[in-house]
Amino acid sequence: MNRIATIRKKITRNRKIISTAKRRLVIWLVAIITFYIFSYLIDPFDPAWMDYLNGPWQLMVEDLLWVFLFSVLLSEVSIFIDRTLNKLLPWSNRTVKRLLIQCVIQIVGSVLIIIIVNFIIESTTENLSKLDYRKEFTLLGQWVATNIMISLIISAFNTVEYLLENWKKTAEEAAQHKLRASKHKQAAMAAELQALKLQIDPHFIFNNLSVLSELILEDQQLGYEYSEKFARVYRYLLVNSGKDVIAVEEELKFLESYIFLIEKRIGDGVIFKIDVREEHRKMYTVPLSLQLLVENAIKHNQTSKTNPLEIEVYTLPTGELVVANTFLPLINKPDSSGVGLRNIKARYEILGYGKPEIEKTENKFIVKLPLI
C-alpha cells in the first residue's frame, strides 16, 4: 500500500511539473508574439522592418534569440511579482488597491529591466552605431512601452488564471461542505431512527417489562430501581440521540443504566469490565456509541452461565475508547444489517475526527473509537 501511495504521489508531482512547464511555455510564447506585434503597431512604416525582413536569416535568428531571452526574463519577473503580491496582498482583501499596486510594480519592474539590459549592452558591446538623440529617445520610448504592455498582459494572464483557480477551489469547497452537511444530516437522522427503533422495539420492551413484573413480585425495591434505570435509558435516548458529540462521562453513566437492565435480564450470562481513565472521561465521543456496540455484542454472541460473554470498555494511552467482547458466535445467526457500526463510522467520518478501527480475532471482536 505504501509503495502504491508513493507511486501515486510521484505521478501527481510529475503531472504538476508538466502542467507548470506547459504554462511557462505559453506565457513565453505570448510575450514573444506581443513583443513583435506591439513593436510593429507602434511604427509599421519604419524602413527598419524591410531591412530586417530582407536581411540574412542569421540576423533574424539572432534577433529572435535575443527577443526570446528578454521575453523569458520579463515573464519570470512578472510572474514573481504576481506570486509575491498573492501572498502579501491577496485579491480577496482589497481589490482596487491590489490592482493599482500590481500595475505600478509591473511598470516599474519593466523599466528597471530595460535600464539594466541597456546598461549591459552598452558596457559589453563595442562599436555601437551612433543615432540621432531624437531617434534614440524614440526607440527607447517604444521599447519601454512595448515592455510595459508585455508585463501588463502577462500580469493579466496570471491574474485571470489565479482568480479562476480560486473560484474553482471555492466552488469545490462549497460543494464538499454542502455534501458533508447533507451526510451529517443523514447520519443524525439514522442515529435518531436507530434510537427510535430501540424505543419501539417490541421484543426489547416486552423483555424488560417481563423482568420488571417479576422483580416487583420478588423484590419491590429492586423493581423500583429497575424501573428507574429503564426510564433513564429512554430519557437519555430521547435527549441525546440528535447531538453530534457527548462527554465520555455522560455516555458511561448512561451505559451503567443500560448494563443494569441487561444484567437483570440475562443474569450471569454476560460480564462487564469497565476501566476508563479519569483524564479520558472529560473527552468526547459520539452519542449512543457504547450502547450500540454493547447491543451489537449481545445480539451476535452466546450468553450462557457456563461460558459467559465478556464485554470490556477501556481506554488506551493513545486516546482511544475500546469496546471489546469475547467471540462466542450464535449457532443460528440472526439477520444483521450492520446499521450500528455503519452509523458510528459515518458520524466519525463526517465530523472529521478520524475513523473507528475494527479488529476481529479468533477469540475477540474489538472496536476502537477515537476520543474527541
Side-chain angles (χ1 to χ4, degrees):
M1 292 297 293
N2 292 333
R3 186 177 180 182
I4 295 174
T6 304
I7 294 173
R8 288 178 178 175
K9 288 181 180 179
K10 288 183 179 180
I11 292 173
T12 303
R13 185 168 59 251
N14 291 336
R15 286 178 178 175
K16 288 183 179 179
I17 293 172
I18 294 172
S19 177
T20 303
K22 289 181 179 179
R23 178 176 173 274
R24 280 289 201 283
L25 290 174
V26 171
I27 292 175
W28 295 347
L29 183 61
V30 169
I32 294 171
I33 294 174
T34 303
F35 183 89
Y36 278 110
I37 291 176
F38 198 75
S39 298
Y40 177 78
L41 292 177
I42 287 177
D43 191 3
F45 302 105
D46 191 344
W49 286 107
M50 295 301 299
D51 296 336
Y52 175 76
L53 294 174
N54 295 327
W57 65 270
Q58 294 89 343
L59 182 63
M60 296 180 65
V61 172
E62 183 181 353
D63 183 76
L64 181 61
L65 181 61
W66 279 108
V67 171
F68 173 76
L69 294 175
F70 187 74
S71 298
V72 169
L73 176 62
L74 198 61
S75 300
E76 293 303 315
V77 171
S78 180
I79 292 171
F80 174 77
I81 292 172
D82 288 343
R83 286 185 174 177
T84 304
L85 288 176
N86 288 339
K87 296 178 181 178
L88 301 178
L89 187 63
W91 285 97
S92 56
N93 293 348
R94 296 181 180 179
T95 307
V96 177
K97 183 178 179 181
R98 165 64 191 268
L99 179 62
L100 293 175
I101 292 176
Q102 180 168 313
C103 290
V104 170
I105 294 178
Q106 290 286 1
I107 292 172
V108 172
S110 301
V111 174
L112 287 176
I113 290 174
I114 292 172
I115 293 173
I116 293 171
V117 172
N118 194 50
F119 176 78
I120 293 173
I121 292 174
E122 290 183 353
S123 301
T124 57
T125 306
E126 297 179 357
N127 300 325
L128 285 174
S129 57
K130 297 293 182 178
L131 297 174
D132 181 68
Y133 75 94
R134 288 175 297 182
K135 182 66 175 177
E136 187 174 355
F137 276 111
T138 300
L139 292 175
L140 183 61
Q142 292 176 353
W143 194 12
V144 170
T146 302
N147 291 338
I148 289 174
M149 181 60 63
I150 293 172
S151 296
L152 293 178
I153 289 175
I154 294 172
S155 180
F157 182 86
N158 292 329
T159 299
V160 170
E161 185 180 31
Y162 172 80
L163 294 177
L164 285 174
E165 287 180 357
N166 274 9
W167 173 80
K168 183 180 179 181
K169 184 179 179 180
T170 303
E172 289 177 351
E173 289 177 352
Q176 290 176 0
H177 179 74
K178 188 176 180 181
L179 182 61
R180 284 195 299 267
S182 177
K183 287 184 177 179
H184 194 177
K185 185 177 179 181
Q186 291 177 0
M189 290 175 64
E192 187 174 355
L193 287 173
Q194 180 71 6
L196 291 172
K197 181 182 177 182
L198 179 62
Q199 294 172 45
I200 63 176
D201 188 346
H203 295 288
F204 182 82
I205 296 174
F206 176 77
N207 290 334
N208 282 283
L209 289 177
S210 298
V211 173
L212 178 60
S213 62
E214 292 176 5
L215 290 175
I216 291 175
L217 293 174
E218 295 176 4
D219 187 339
Q220 290 186 357
Q221 181 60 34
L222 185 57
Y224 172 77
E225 188 178 354
Y226 189 91
S227 65
E228 284 292 312
K229 299 289 187 181
F230 191 44
R232 189 178 298 176
V233 167
Y234 280 97
R235 189 182 305 116
Y236 184 90
L237 292 171
L238 289 171
V239 173
N240 298 301
S241 62
K243 292 182 179 179
D244 291 337
V245 293
I246 194 166
V248 174
E249 182 70 34
E250 293 296 319
E251 188 77 357
L252 288 173
K253 288 179 181 178
F254 161 69
L255 187 62
E256 288 177 5
S257 300
Y258 188 71
I259 289 173
F260 181 86
L261 300 181
I262 292 172
E263 288 178 337
K264 297 306 175 185
R265 179 163 56 89
I266 299 177
D268 297 332
V270 60
I271 299 174
F272 289 94
K273 296 179 182 179
I274 298 177
D275 183 19
V276 178
R277 297 186 180 187
E278 192 62 33
E279 63 268 22
H280 292 146
R281 290 175 178 265
K282 298 178 182 179
M283 301 180 75
Y284 291 84
T285 184
V286 296
L288 309 180
S289 55
L290 297 181
Q291 179 265 326
L292 288 171
L293 292 175
V294 170
E295 180 191 12
N296 190 66
I298 294 174
K299 182 180 179 181
H300 295 90
N301 293 276
Q302 301 177 39
T303 55
S304 62
K305 293 181 180 180
T306 55
N307 190 15
L309 174 68
E310 293 183 8
I311 300 177
E312 297 178 86
V313 179
Y314 57 93
T315 51
L316 298 175
T318 53
E320 291 174 305
L321 181 62
V322 181
V323 179
N325 62 270
T326 51
F327 190 58
L328 304 170
L330 295 169
I331 298 175
N332 297 321
K333 295 182 180 181
D335 295 333
S336 175
S337 60
V339 173
L341 287 174
R342 281 206 311 269
N343 181 271
I344 294 172
K345 285 182 179 179
R347 282 189 285 166
Y348 266 99
E349 183 179 357
I350 292 165
L351 291 172
Y353 294 120
K355 295 181 179 180
E357 296 181 12
I358 300 174
E359 299 177 9
K360 187 177 180 181
T361 65
E362 292 182 1
N363 302 320
K364 280 195 173 184
F365 185 82
I366 303 169
V367 179
K368 299 178 181 179
L369 304 176
L371 289 175
I372 302 168

